[in-house]
Amino acid sequence: MTRTVADLKAELRRDALARRKTAGHELRTRLTQRLLHEGLRLARLWRPTVVSGFHPIRGEPDVLVLLAALVEQGFEVALPVVVGRETHLDFRRWRPGEPTAIGPMGIPEPLDTSPVVDPDLLFTPLACFDRRGWRVGYGAGYYDRSLARLRAMKTIHAVGVAYGVCEVAVVPYEAHDQLLDAVVTEQETIFVSER
């Protein structure tokens, strides 16, 4: 029986999420602090109009601390909103402390009254990644479709946020998959030089 790319990704996802569950408090704190430092540095480097993050679930790194610091530095920030299956995400302006509603995927999202924006710096969740900039998400394809849509409009930067234990040697990829520009872990920032 031949395994498909989807099968390989599912196996990588399952194994990486199991490793991520082992991340203790010290490791989580280290990544939060590193992400705060590196996220501000990358925002100053790339000078985005809008920065998007994500509301952490299932042991994901806490990006909300970075979003709060970005707001303090004068950046506009946003969170993703699921608008339907098999489509891209919308991103709605949001500031830490503002109300959210639980979206269709069970994740807090900005209210419908918040304006839709098109971020040019995106801090993205992932299950695992490799040093070439490929990522495996949760399998629904929302970020791949969203990055493709935004890249067709303008120059953007996508930064994966992950614990080092989520790194794998090789992520198999398909034509619709989108590369990251960098990955921030608790130990380092990996820049992807080739597109």
Side-chain angles (χ1 to χ4, degrees):
M1 185 167 157
T2 305
R3 293 195 304 168
T4 65
V5 171
D7 294 334
L8 294 170
K9 286 181 177 179
E11 183 179 320
L12 288 171
R13 179 183 303 113
R14 183 184 64 248
D15 293 347
L17 293 178
R19 288 192 306 276
R20 187 169 80 186
K21 282 184 183 178
T22 68
H25 177 73
E26 181 182 327
L27 182 62
R28 292 178 186 282
T29 300
R30 198 169 358 147
L31 179 52
T32 299
Q33 291 305 312
R34 216 166 164 284
L35 177 60
L36 180 61
H37 173 77
E38 283 296 284
L40 288 169
R41 184 177 77 83
L42 293 174
R44 291 182 190 117
L45 174 69
W46 288 325
R47 306 173 66 126
T49 304
V50 179
V51 181
S52 75
F54 55 91
H55 206 289
I57 60 166
R58 296 185 277 187
E60 289 175 335
D62 186 0
V63 178
L64 300 181
V65 172
L66 170 60
L67 294 183
L70 287 165
V71 168
E72 286 180 12
Q73 295 292 313
F75 291 95
E76 186 175 326
V77 301
L79 288 177
V81 174
V82 175
V83 293
R85 295 179 73 68
E86 302 297 321
T87 187
H88 61 80
L89 298 164
D90 275 351
F91 295 87
R92 291 190 176 274
R93 188 179 301 141
W94 180 81
R95 294 170 69 96
E98 290 182 347
T100 57
I102 301 300
M105 302 298 285
I107 302 169
E109 299 178 344
L111 303 180
D112 288 345
T113 53
S114 294
V116 173
V117 293
D118 292 318
D120 31 19
L121 173 54
L122 297 90
F123 289 92
T124 67
L126 54 85
C128 64
F129 68 94
D130 69 19
R131 289 186 173 260
R132 300 172 305 161
W134 296 110
R135 67 183 277 280
V136 174
Y138 296 116
Y142 287 114
Y143 269 94
D144 289 315
R145 289 189 294 273
S146 301
L147 294 174
R149 182 182 80 79
L150 290 166
R151 284 178 170 145
M153 296 168 42
K154 60 183 180 174
T155 299
I156 66 165
H157 293 94
V159 179
V161 181
Y163 299 101
V165 296
C166 295
E167 181 179 349
V168 297
V170 176
V171 170
Y173 60 91
E174 300 168 276
H176 66 269
D177 290 327
Q178 293 287 308
L179 272 171
L180 298 169
D181 297 286
V183 179
V184 175
T185 75
E186 75 279 3
Q187 300 166 334
E188 63 185 320
T189 300
I190 302 160
F191 287 96
V192 177
S193 58
E194 297 291 322
R195 271 228 167 275

